[in-house]
Amino acid sequence: MILSELAACVEGARIVCCDRAAAENTKIGGLTADSRFCGPGDLFFCLTGGKTDSHAYAGDAEGAGAAAVVCERDLDLKIPRLIVPDSRRAMGLIASGFYGRPADRLKIIGITGTNGKTTTSYMLASILRRAGKQVAVVGTLGIYYGKKQIAPELTTPDPLFLHKIFADMVKCGVEYVVTEVSAHALFYHKDEGISYAACIFTNLTQDHLDFFDGMDSYKQAKKRLFDVRKCPVAVLNGDDPVGREIGAERSESSENAEGPENPGEPGEAKLSESGLRPQVPDSTHDKPRTIFYGLEAPSEVFAVVTSEDLQGCEFMLNLSDSLCRISLPMTGRHNVYNAMAAASAAMALGVRTEAIAGGLNEMKPVRGRLEWVGKYRGADIFVDFAHTPDGLEKSLSALKTHCRGRLLCLFGCGGNRDRSKRAPMGETVAKRADFGILTSDNPRFEEPTDIIAEIEKGYRRVSDRYVVIPERERAIRYAVGILKKGDVLLVAGKGGEDYQEIMGIKYSYNDNAVIREAMSRRPPL
């Protein structure tokens, strides 16, 4: 593409160069935001708002052969400068244009919230596959579509990579993309250039306060996803106060919106042979819709739990008066919420009730999400990604209900992240578990014992029934070794991660593998 075509993607963009005509026709062969990987013909993005202002590296990009730069202020360069109001917003829009606006040919469902994003995304993907659709999943566990798997880097990939992947998804025949959308991604406008078919809100509890200056700014970042101008269908947790708040704001914003009234309930639409109803709304002129799900507050989608145990739960699901029975291989009320969120979005997209039930009933446990690892000496062992006070509360509460012996919890906190949640996490485990094993998570550039000391402050407010073992593998071997019949062990914090980050190095590591090795060391009693 040429520079003028990319400039047209961004309102207020202007090209600056001594030879304007030649600059407009500058050929762009690639996009990059890292001067170290900039090559001849690339368009280099100068970004602000992070740890560094990469305008300082524009000269390096020019020296590496960049054809032009995107910047927020003019720079002393010989190559053309595309000056934009906000380079982070521009990055997504330009990436979309460069790759031929692939997101417009995909039905993208965005999921945000503190907890539950990954599980909800896999549940929705399972439902859509049951409906006969080609589905991609983007999130914490990586990117999956067709036979392709891309290792995880960020919950929400950077726009330059994301739109490139979208383009490949289109070539591979993908129809639906279920993607996690983190608060950081929303704060940095990483989803510019994406028009969503629907968006899901799971919940909001404390996390990431190392980055956001308070819960309100964290909440405001999450709420960006549900702007009625880019989110035609919002699926909201009606039992979460922020979910209700988002719904009220959408209602107020759409009062003066043009377009026809909501075209009837989903059940009134004619079914297609593929198992999908026509997408509602099917254009940006339709009135935005909001669907609530919940177990407590009145909601369009709700459930009645009929049985639960450590291996899963069963419930009757009501989808706007269309009923189906669900049997999930995952325990805990929080997973019932995740299932309701996925089912609500599928319903809004026109999936038949039979396909929704089939997709959920065919679900396999999600890697590292309250995943049952095995039984040892008559005790059950689970791995979970829970790394917030609320996440630990929900997982421990789910396991405690069915624990016939002691409930043990092994956990730590990530280094160089939200320190304010460390003591509350310790207090939560002390309240819900019978015994705690405090250890290292991803210490990054912090000393593990310093992190554990902050956890202890909260733990000791409630209990002294814990042990400190900083080295995580040794801690797991200890925890497995003290298990007795009827006990339940929760190994929390890392979930399905296959590394442990220490002093900037990611070492190969996986909780599940370490647990299995520990189980094989000692003969079960």
Side-chain angles (χ1 to χ4, degrees):
M1 297 187 73
I2 60 174
L3 188 60
S4 61
E5 291 174 325
L6 297 178
C9 297
V10 184
E11 185 177 353
R14 58 190 178 92
I15 298 172
V16 176
C17 191
C18 56
D19 186 343
R20 175 68 181 273
E24 289 180 346
N25 290 294
T26 299
K27 291 184 178 180
I28 303 299
L31 309 176
T32 184
D34 191 331
S35 61
R36 296 170 298 176
F37 301 106
C38 188
D42 283 351
L43 177 64
F44 175 71
F45 290 83
C46 302
L47 304 178
T48 59
K51 293 181 180 179
T52 60
D53 181 346
S54 60
H55 285 75
Y57 301 104
D60 294 340
E62 182 179 39
V69 300
V70 176
C71 48
E72 295 179 4
R73 58 181 183 271
D74 200 6
L75 300 170
D76 185 16
L77 302 173
K78 294 180 180 178
I79 58 177
R81 286 84 65 199
L82 177 59
I83 302 178
V84 297
D86 186 323
S87 55
R88 288 189 179 273
R89 287 179 182 269
M91 185 160 60
L93 296 169
I94 289 173
S96 174
F98 183 81
Y99 290 107
R101 298 179 64 86
D104 292 353
R105 298 192 291 281
L106 298 164
K107 293 182 177 66
I108 301 176
I109 301 96
I111 305 174
T112 198
T114 305
N115 298 309
K117 297 186 295 295
T118 300
T119 301
T120 301
S121 69
Y122 278 80
M123 288 177 169
L124 181 53
S126 180
I127 291 170
L128 291 170
R129 290 190 186 105
R130 178 59 184 259
K133 297 301 170 182
Q134 295 297 313
V135 187
V137 178
V138 179
T140 308
L141 295 180
I143 301 174
Y144 297 85
Y145 60 102
K147 295 182 179 180
K148 298 188 178 184
Q149 299 181 16
I150 300 173
E153 286 292 333
L154 298 169
T155 298
T156 309
D158 286 323
L160 303 185
F161 179 70
L162 187 59
H163 287 277
K164 181 179 181 180
I165 290 297
F166 284 161
D168 190 55
M169 288 177 182
V170 171
K171 291 180 182 178
C172 292
V174 171
E175 300 165 89
Y176 286 80
V177 180
V178 185
T179 179
E180 299 178 48
V181 188
S182 68
H184 293 75
L186 291 164
F187 179 85
Y188 282 127
H189 304 287
K190 284 187 179 182
D191 66 338
E192 288 290 343
I194 298 175
S195 296
Y196 294 98
C199 298
I200 298 172
F201 171 77
T202 59
N203 49 62
L204 189 86
T205 59
Q206 181 181 341
D207 202 8
H208 304 306
L209 297 188
D210 57 307
F211 181 86
F212 296 98
D213 59 13
M215 284 298 294
D216 186 65
S217 60
Y218 176 45
K219 176 177 70 174
Q220 295 305 321
K222 293 286 190 187
K223 289 165 83 171
R224 286 182 179 180
L225 185 63
F226 301 95
D227 188 316
V228 295
R229 292 169 294 183
K230 67 177 182 180
C231 171
V233 180
V235 175
L236 309 174
N237 183 346
D239 293 339
D240 187 291
V242 177
R244 288 288 174 183
E245 186 177 321
I246 293 170
E249 290 177 0
R250 282 177 61 84
S251 178
E252 183 178 345
S253 297
S254 62
E255 280 181 357
N256 298 321
E258 295 181 0
E261 291 298 313
N262 190 339
E265 292 298 321
E268 298 170 2
K270 184 179 179 181
L271 297 176
S272 67
E273 292 181 359
S274 67
L276 291 179
R277 298 186 181 93
Q279 185 181 337
V280 180
D282 58 9
S283 80
T284 55
H285 299 291
D286 289 325
K287 186 176 181 180
R289 298 175 59 202
T290 298
I291 298 171
F292 288 104
Y293 64 90
L295 293 176
E296 299 170 6
S299 302
E300 291 94 321
V301 175
F302 62 92
V304 177
V305 180
T306 55
S307 68
E308 292 180 84
D309 59 28
L310 285 174
Q311 302 306 314
C313 58
E314 294 186 356
F315 55 93
M316 185 64 73
L317 181 62
N318 187 312
L319 297 159
S320 293
D321 295 331
S322 182
L323 303 177
C324 56
R325 186 174 294 280
I326 306 298
S327 179
L328 278 180
M330 292 172 276
T331 192
R333 295 295 174 103
H334 61 291
N335 278 319
V336 178
Y337 276 95
N338 295 335
M340 288 190 294
S344 300
M347 179 187 74
L349 292 168
V351 179
R352 294 184 298 184
T353 301
E354 293 88 343
I356 293 173
L360 290 176
N361 287 326
E362 291 171 357
M363 271 295 297
K364 295 179 180 179
V366 180
R367 179 161 54 94
R369 268 55 182 180
L370 204 54
E371 177 188 6
W372 185 76
V373 179
K375 191 176 282 287
Y376 183 78
R377 292 178 175 171
D380 291 281
I381 304 175
F382 289 81
V383 165
D384 193 33
F385 190 54
H387 60 282
T388 66
D390 181 68
L392 282 169
E393 164 77 27
K394 288 175 177 173
S395 293
L396 288 169
S397 295
L399 297 176
K400 186 70 173 178
T401 303
H402 311 292
C403 180
R404 293 175 287 108
R406 300 170 301 165
L407 177 59
L408 296 82
C409 181
L410 182 151
F411 75 108
C413 292
N416 304 108
R417 294 295 186 267
D418 183 2
R419 294 178 59 184
S420 67
K421 69 180 181 181
R422 294 174 183 174
M425 285 174 65
E427 188 170 346
T428 297
V429 174
K431 288 178 179 178
R432 297 299 176 189
D434 299 301
F435 188 74
I437 302 95
L438 279 54
T439 188
S440 181
D441 191 288
N442 288 318
R444 298 184 177 90
F445 292 97
E446 284 194 68
E447 177 61 43
T449 53
D450 292 340
I451 298 172
I452 293 171
E454 294 191 43
I455 298 172
E456 284 185 278
K457 291 177 183 178
Y459 208 108
R460 286 199 300 264
R461 293 173 193 156
V462 178
S463 172
D464 59 0
R465 299 188 303 274
Y466 71 93
V467 65
V468 172
I469 305 177
E471 203 274 312
R472 194 172 179 97
E473 286 191 37
R474 191 164 67 89
I476 287 177
R477 289 195 293 269
Y478 169 83
V480 171
I482 64 173
L483 289 175
K484 299 177 181 178
K485 185 176 181 180
D487 288 349
V488 175
L489 169 63
L490 175 66
V491 177
K494 293 183 63 59
E497 289 181 350
D498 58 5
Y499 66 89
Q500 186 173 30
E501 187 175 350
I502 303 171
M503 297 302 292
I505 300 173
K506 288 187 176 181
Y507 296 91
S508 179
Y509 175 89
N510 178 262
D511 275 345
N512 200 309
V514 174
I515 291 167
R516 292 189 183 280
E517 189 272 338
M519 291 168 65
S520 68
R521 278 189 163 206
R522 299 181 177 87
L525 298 180

